[in-house]
Amino acid sequence: MDLLDGISPWWWVALAILLAAAEMVTVTTVLISAATAALVTGLWLWLVPHLSGAGQIAVFGLFAIAFTFAGRALVGRFGVGGGPDTLNRRAAQLIGREAIVIDFLYREGQVTVDGMPWPARLRDEGTPPPEPGQRVRVVGADGIVVWVAPLDGPTPGGAAERESRSARAGSSAPGS
């Protein structure tokens, strides 16, 4: 291990950068713990400049093993992220949300969710098409098309509410 005796800590930092770059290419999450261990070994060598080559290898090996087990434990506990399997399926993220009908003809139409229009289809064949302004629930998704079903009970903004509003407005008009 005479080769490592007296080397600069920057060689360990360079190895850390090289391993991190290789991690970005391979996307395996294995090399990142070795890259972190190389960086820590470089810092250790900066703090203890007369560390022998065998000592440097031992520090690197211990930290690489420790970071590998710590990383695996963190991934096991918190997962790899990304949430449910709806990352690139934006319409599937709308399931369970309420939508407002823009227009429907037979079983196909258009609804808005949070102001964004979506092509929609009725889930049940026997259900009459909803009226514009009626609230529906998104119950499924297929590509960019959302499947909707009417909400139970009267819906605000539906035909009954619009008729009662227009009746109230007509009776309160001046001269009536």
Side-chain angles (χ1 to χ4, degrees), residues 20-32:
E23 174 63 45
M24 286 188 263
V25 172
T26 61
V27 197
T28 60
T29 67
V30 172
L31 297 175
I32 196 67

Side-chain angles (χ1 to χ4, degrees), residues 74-169:
L74 287 172
V75 168
R77 181 171 181 176
F78 297 109
V80 292
D85 191 23
T86 59
L87 176 64
N88 290 322
R89 296 179 19 220
R90 195 164 161 219
Q93 297 173 2
L94 303 176
I95 295 175
R97 309 260 316 266
E98 287 187 15
I100 299 173
V101 173
I102 296 174
D103 188 29
F104 250 88
L105 182 62
Y106 303 111
R107 293 189 60 220
E108 295 187 5
Q110 192 172 29
V111 298
T112 61
V113 180
D114 295 332
M116 293 293 300
W118 291 88
R121 290 192 183 122
L122 281 175
R123 177 182 62 179
D124 301 323
E125 288 187 32
T127 306
E131 298 181 25
Q134 183 177 348
R135 291 188 178 274
V136 292
R137 178 150 331 265
V138 177
V139 293
D142 183 21
I144 64 166
V145 177
V146 294
W147 291 85
V148 297
L151 291 174
D152 296 331
T155 57
E161 185 176 309
R162 282 196 306 276
E163 287 174 12
S164 70
R165 267 190 282 172
S166 64
R168 283 184 297 210

Side-chain angles (χ1 to χ4, degrees), residues 40-66:
V40 170
T41 304
L43 291 173
W44 194 284
L45 186 59
W46 181 65
L47 294 172
V48 184
H50 300 293
L51 190 62
S52 69
Q56 293 176 41
I57 295 295
V59 168
F60 173 74
L62 289 174
F63 277 113
I65 291 169

